Amino acid sequence: MENEAVTRAALDYQGILEQVAADVAPQIGGGRPAEYIPALASVDPRRFGMAVADIDGQVHGVGDWREPFSAQSITKVFTLALTLARGGEELWAHVGREPSGNPFNSLVQLEQEQGIPRNPFINAGALVVTDHLQGLTGDASSELLEFLREESGNPGLAFDQEVAESEAAHGDRNAALAHFMAAYGNMRNPVPTVLHHYFWQCSITLSCADLATAGLFLARHGVRADSSRLLTLSEAKRINAVMLTCGTYDAAGDFAYRVGLPGKSGVGGGIIAVIPGLCTLAVWSPGLDSRGNSVAGVAALDRFTTLTGLSVF
Ligand code: GLU
């Protein structure tokens, strides 16, 4: 405890972020924005922002850290947390917790494994989580938005209708995944309802500052901004563990190797990463690598943990 306090007091987050931004500057603009959702394809790949929120809620940032971007798959962490908090362990009968080693929207594995997705962070698994959250709340996407507003302290967070509609119009693959699981009896609500909430959930826009702050309950071992407990210690540990092993598509091994933190990325170019007991990091840069992770975002987290020596290992 004493050591932790010394370490925290010694951390100059602002200085570190500025150093990270300077070091990764050559990589900003690398990769390509997600093209399969037309509304995301037009975002400038040279944007870059990064924020750190410490467990006391203090936030530091650099670059475009206050600029809203499309959260996309990062929301999967939050729906998982809300579902586990309300429904408990029962979810794990319907979705696994092993890395997939396959692209995030793959259909192949789902057939081999009879409609039980590998983990909650590939699209099929996230659809199952949204389905359960819908069953538990009656309005999964609004429940998520409200939670993000409360945790981030930003009541202005909102859905992006253009992104949600763009995704729905080009959502054949997600529809296929959902129908496929329904055929195996692994969907409780009608497929169109689940898809609607999933697309709207993914469309939420937030900034690095919002995201780092909203994710603090994971650094606080399950405790929310208002000091109430969302998750047990075990549940918070487990979500962080699934983020580490499954949170960055089929590059989770490489992300763990380079960054050494639980993380979750989204095709909007954002990544959230957690240092339990200390802080939450959020980074955004829209250029993606071939696996769907932000090129400059991963590089920045890699640099952050290298400069500070902080990781879960
Ligand atoms: N809305 C996106 C999809 O379902 C999310 C993908 C992602 O961010 O990984 O394809």
Side-chain angles (χ1 to χ4, degrees):
M1 212 49 205
E2 227 175 78
N3 279 349
E4 190 169 286
V6 170
T7 314
R8 286 175 56 195
L11 278 171
D12 167 18
Y13 284 121
Q14 193 60 43
I16 296 163
L17 289 177
E18 278 160 22
Q19 180 71 51
V20 167
D23 292 348
V24 302
Q27 298 185 61
I28 297 170
R32 297 166 69 135
E35 274 158 7
Y36 74 104
I37 304 173
L40 296 183
S42 54
V43 182
D44 180 356
R46 286 163 303 184
R47 309 303 296 274
F48 173 85
M50 187 168 186
V52 180
D54 72 18
I55 52 166
D56 301 323
Q58 278 208 16
V59 191
H60 301 268
V62 73
D64 299 316
W65 65 296
R66 293 190 187 277
E67 185 75 21
F69 61 90
S70 191
Q72 294 295 317
S73 274
I74 298 171
T75 57
K76 292 170 183 173
V77 175
F78 294 90
T79 51
L80 176 62
L82 290 174
T83 303
L84 287 177
R86 285 167 178 263
E89 293 286 297
E90 194 263 341
L91 177 72
W92 297 120
H94 302 270
V95 60
R97 40 182 191 253
E98 290 293 343
S100 71
N102 270 312
F104 64 96
N105 53 9
S106 169
L107 277 150
V108 176
Q109 208 162 45
L110 203 51
E111 172 144 44
Q112 280 162 357
E113 298 179 357
Q114 273 130 52
I116 305 291
R118 269 288 168 103
N119 68 66
F121 295 152
I122 53 174
N123 283 14
L127 286 161
V128 168
V129 174
T130 299
D131 178 39
H132 280 241
L133 189 59
Q134 177 65 14
L136 290 162
T137 65
D139 190 348
S141 51
S142 299
E143 189 76 17
L144 169 67
L145 181 61
E146 199 42 47
F147 178 77
L148 289 171
R149 284 174 174 165
E150 283 172 14
E151 295 308 292
S152 67
N154 181 355
L157 293 188
F159 301 114
D160 184 326
Q161 184 173 352
E162 188 197 347
V163 170
E165 286 173 355
S166 175
E167 194 167 351
H170 297 84
D172 293 327
R173 188 171 272 270
N174 285 318
L177 290 168
H179 281 292
F180 206 57
M181 291 189 288
Y184 280 105
N186 197 14
M187 269 289 113
R188 296 174 166 181
N189 294 282
V191 166
T193 305
V194 177
L195 288 172
H196 168 87
H197 285 282
Y198 175 76
F199 293 143
W200 283 82
Q201 142 190 348
C202 288
S203 83
I204 292 173
T205 56
L206 36 57
S207 68
C208 290
D210 298 324
L211 179 60
T213 312
L216 273 175
F217 69 95
L218 291 169
R220 291 196 195 108
H221 306 291
V223 174
R224 297 186 57 169
D226 66 0
S227 301
S228 66
R229 184 168 280 287
L230 177 72
L231 302 167
T232 65
L233 279 176
S234 288
E235 286 166 342
K237 175 195 76 181
R238 289 170 178 166
I239 292 175
N240 279 318
V242 180
M243 286 171 74
L244 180 74
T245 53
C246 310
T248 41
Y249 311 118
D250 50 340
D254 192 54
F255 185 84
Y257 176 85
R258 290 179 63 188
V259 176
L261 293 176
K264 180 75 201 86
S265 54
V267 296
I271 309 175
I272 185 172
V274 183
I275 308 182
L278 191 64
C279 65
T280 303
L281 306 162
V283 61
W284 170 59
S285 193
L288 308 179
D289 62 22
S290 60
R291 262 97 168 251
N293 295 309
S294 167
V295 171
V298 176
L301 292 169
D302 178 347
R303 201 69 201 117
F304 183 95
T305 54
T306 303
L307 282 172
T308 59
L310 293 168
S311 83
V312 294
F313 298 108

